Amino acid sequence: MIRTRHLRMAWRFGVGRFREVHPVDVQASLLNACNLRCVYCRCPEVKTVLMTTEQWRVTIKELAALGMIRIKFQGGEPTMRPDFNELAAAAKAHGVTTATITNGMFIPERPALLNHLDELIVSLDSTQAELHDRQRGAGTWAPAVQTIELARARGLRVYVNMVLTRQTLGDLDAMLDFCEQRGVLLNAQPVMFDRQYYDSGARHLALTGEEIREVHRRLAEWKREGRRLMFSAAAYTKPLAWQDHHKPTSQSIGDSSCMAGRDYIHIEANGDVIPCVQHGATFQPNNVLRDGLIQALRHVQHHNCGDCWIPYLNERKLAFGLKPQALLEIVRRG
């Protein structure tokens, strides 16, 4: 069902699309620190300087003026920042859709963290507490599930992000059932390595290329059957023809035609502006604080990360390319 917010999004997208810079969908890392130490993640080890509350507030205001429709706060664990609610409220005040991805550990005791959010993505790797806790830490499963229920009760759009490893692959069917029983959409993402924030010490947990293809064959089939997966079937078919899944990106000759860096950007915790967090470009970013937002946005449009197999990024390509299957998914998500 098409809602008022969909019409508002379409209007803002149409108005801003032909501007020189038009950051429609923004992913904002508020910090690298985290209260957990997931076995496949080294994000807390990557030290950085953090933008201040005021610097983020100014940046959010400028992004909204340039046509930003949605901002997703992430980390590390974004809810660790004392100003998390303030920044989410600032984005909402500018008419921006707000989202965050979280491990859910703090929200059961501080449900006010949900006050200014429209969407919540909860990291949940298994329907079995033992398997989830083996990857993310003892006692982490129950708060994540409680966070899902709290967000559902508030009427947020809720999603589960499941990291698929050799330990959790066999739980994929059960996780989809778990999500469907709660009216929640599922993103199942095979674990990756050889990127800045991934711990190669857990490489033994990686799936093989054929396992990744089989997972995405199943996801595409389930989507065609109307199951509650986050993306369109077209986004899940891209990995089937990818040659080496341990190399998630390929480079282009000259400037990339990818929408990352144009319609979609990622801002690191220190203010660096990159195409996306998974990019494989030979790219030196400009910085919001050092170079100014407009210059950083101009600069990020020119990079050589040409293509990737990751469904959540390919779904954005389909959506910003105005492909009907991806636009239909936006409407279905409510």
Side-chain angles (χ1 to χ4, degrees), residues 8 33 40 55 72 123 155 161 220 245 298:
R8 185 168 60 249
Y40 41 70
Q55 287 167 341
K72 183 177 79 172
S123 297
N161 185 66
H245 294 85
R298 286 174 178 153

Side-chain angles (χ1 to χ4, degrees), residues 8-219:
R8 185 168 60 249
M9 288 167 58
W11 180 81
R12 292 187 69 171
F13 177 72
V15 168
R17 189 70 186 275
F18 299 103
R19 292 174 178 155
E20 178 191 8
V21 291
H22 48 274
V24 178
D25 193 3
V26 175
Q27 190 166 282
S29 287
L30 297 181
L31 75 176
N32 291 346
C34 186
N35 55 315
L36 303 184
R37 182 59 169 89
C38 301
V39 295
Y40 41 70
C41 177
R42 61 179 297 270
C43 192
E45 298 173 12
V46 181
K47 304 306 179 185
T48 189
V49 176
L50 302 185
M51 290 172 61
T52 66
T53 303
E54 185 57 27
Q55 287 167 341
W56 270 117
R57 288 179 64 91
V58 169
T59 300
I60 289 168
K61 180 179 180 180
E62 292 177 347
L63 287 166
L66 291 169
M68 176 174 64
I69 293 174
R70 176 179 180 268
I71 187 168
K72 183 177 79 172
F73 298 112
Q74 64 176 60
E77 174 52 45
T79 61
M80 285 180 65
R81 276 194 63 137
D83 58 1
F84 177 81
N85 265 358
E86 182 178 350
L87 296 179
K92 287 288 290 180
H94 293 293
V96 174
T97 296
T98 54
T100 197
I101 182 166
T102 178
N103 58 40
M105 293 295 289
F106 296 124
I107 291 172
E109 293 185 359
R110 296 165 55 199
L113 288 166
L114 302 174
N115 283 356
H116 306 291
L117 294 174
D118 300 298
E119 303 173 6
L120 191 75
I121 305 101
V122 180
S123 297
L124 188 69
D125 287 353
S126 176
T127 61
Q128 302 175 53
E130 179 185 357
L131 285 180
H132 174 90
D133 289 3
R134 191 182 302 168
Q135 295 192 165
R136 293 185 176 268
T140 59
W141 184 86
V145 173
Q146 189 177 354
T147 291
I148 291 170
E149 299 305 328
L150 287 169
R152 289 180 61 229
R154 287 191 173 217
L156 274 66
R157 294 184 292 278
V158 184
Y159 311 97
V160 162
N161 185 66
M162 178 188 191
V163 177
L164 289 172
T165 69
R166 306 212 64 77
Q167 296 179 153
T168 61
L169 179 59
D171 202 37
L172 178 57
D173 296 70
M175 181 63 83
L176 183 53
D177 290 340
F178 172 95
C179 290
E180 290 179 331
Q181 291 164 8
R182 292 161 176 78
V184 170
L185 294 177
L186 172 64
N187 174 41
Q189 174 64 53
V191 66
M192 289 182 294
F193 298 102
D194 298 325
R195 285 293 186 269
Q196 182 181 24
Y197 296 116
Y198 296 90
D199 190 339
S200 294
R203 192 181 295 275
H204 62 283
L205 296 176
L207 307 185
T208 67
E210 188 48 46
E211 285 172 329
I212 291 173
R213 291 187 189 92
E214 178 57 27
V215 162
H216 288 90
R217 276 192 286 267
R218 292 167 66 193
L219 293 172

Side-chain angles (χ1 to χ4, degrees), residues 280-306:
T282 53
F283 177 82
Q284 293 298 317
N286 277 188
N287 183 278
V288 168
L289 306 181
R290 182 188 65 240
D291 305 298
L293 178 63
I294 297 295
Q295 175 55 32
L297 292 174
R298 286 174 178 153
H299 180 70
V300 78
Q301 293 180 351
H302 305 286
H303 63 84
N304 65 339
C305 186

